Amino acid sequence: MCAPRIVRIAHDSADFPAVPSRRALSGAAGLAALAAATAPIARAGTGAVVDLTHRVGPNTPMWPGNPPFAMVPVGWHALGGFDQNAIALWEHTGTHVDAPLRRAFGGVGPDTFSARDLVAPLIVIDISAKASFDVDATVTIDDIDAFERIYGRIPPRAFVAMYSGWERRLAHPAAFVNLDVEGTPHAPGFCAEAAEYLVRRRDIAGAGVDTLSLDHAADPDFGAHTAFLGGGRYGVEMVANLGSVPPTGATVVVGVPDHIGGTGGPCRMLALT
């Protein structure tokens, strides 16, 4: 455990802004991107384990206005025999969970998630073709219908992920955050109607995106967040390597944080294929 003083040192070292807002600080286009290298696929049993997690560091892309990850050493081998670091980060950093509490008053936090919903059938809806020419592309009900015509009905308590190919932009920080001249980010996500449909008509456990927001980033109403989180489902943002898993047939395992009262937090996410 680290004393509050150590946590303050970590924050002070990063020169964090005092009260950043979600849509503030258009200068965030200068945020450095996460390392572009993707995680390897390791064999496990008769299938494969695909790491769906981006590594977290000071260059991890952040929603405009959110401070970057910071880490400072507070223990050393030479002084006591153990290394230790203090870390400081906002909950919604890197590959991370959005709990219902984040958007819905009275919603649950990650520490009270049902373990059953953290191991779920993985469904990947690929919209990378339209996202390649439309930065505000969304997963729509038509996309869900087209998916089900090919692969069958989405099963109850599935985890439905959007694959837009956005992680290809990780080598170019400004392109990943993708701010326009007014400081508004643009990136694909779910439309509100599709999110509501997945919650009410398909009874999903959770939803994920390979971008920084469950909504398309320019949506001022955050309708997908409201539909998913307000419906008691969790979200995972900035998912990695979705292009390396099949549209159906895999199982996702989501290792969520368990701090009491949290609105989410960085997670480790694996696909078993």
Side-chain angles (χ1 to χ4, degrees), residues 246-265:
T248 64
T251 298
V252 69
V253 181
V254 186
V256 302
D258 60 358
H259 54 295
I260 297 170
T263 69

Side-chain angles (χ1 to χ4, degrees), residues 16-148:
F16 287 174
V19 189
S21 64
R22 185 171 173 83
R23 301 182 67 83
L25 302 181
S26 61
L31 286 173
L34 188 66
T38 56
I41 299 174
R43 304 304 298 181
T46 58
V49 179
V50 182
D51 196 340
L52 303 181
T53 316
H54 289 293
R55 292 181 294 175
V56 174
N59 295 327
T60 297
M62 300 292 295
W63 187 266
N66 287 3
F69 170 89
M71 182 172 71
V72 295
V74 295
W76 296 266
H77 285 299
L79 299 174
F82 295 92
D83 269 358
Q84 183 172 204
N85 298 303
I87 61 174
L89 75 169
W90 281 29
E91 290 174 313
H92 303 274
T93 298
T95 304
H96 67 273
V97 169
D98 272 14
L101 180 61
R102 174 160 167 77
R103 184 67 173 166
F105 181 77
V108 300
D111 59 305
T112 61
F113 284 2
S114 167
R116 184 180 298 274
D117 285 339
L118 300 177
V119 181
L122 176 60
I123 301 297
V124 180
I125 298 178
D126 185 343
I127 66 163
S128 59
K130 65 179 177 179
S132 67
F133 62 85
D134 180 6
V135 295
D136 295 316
T138 60
V139 175
T140 65
I141 294 176
D142 286 344
D143 292 319
I144 297 169
D145 288 342
F147 178 93
E148 292 188 328

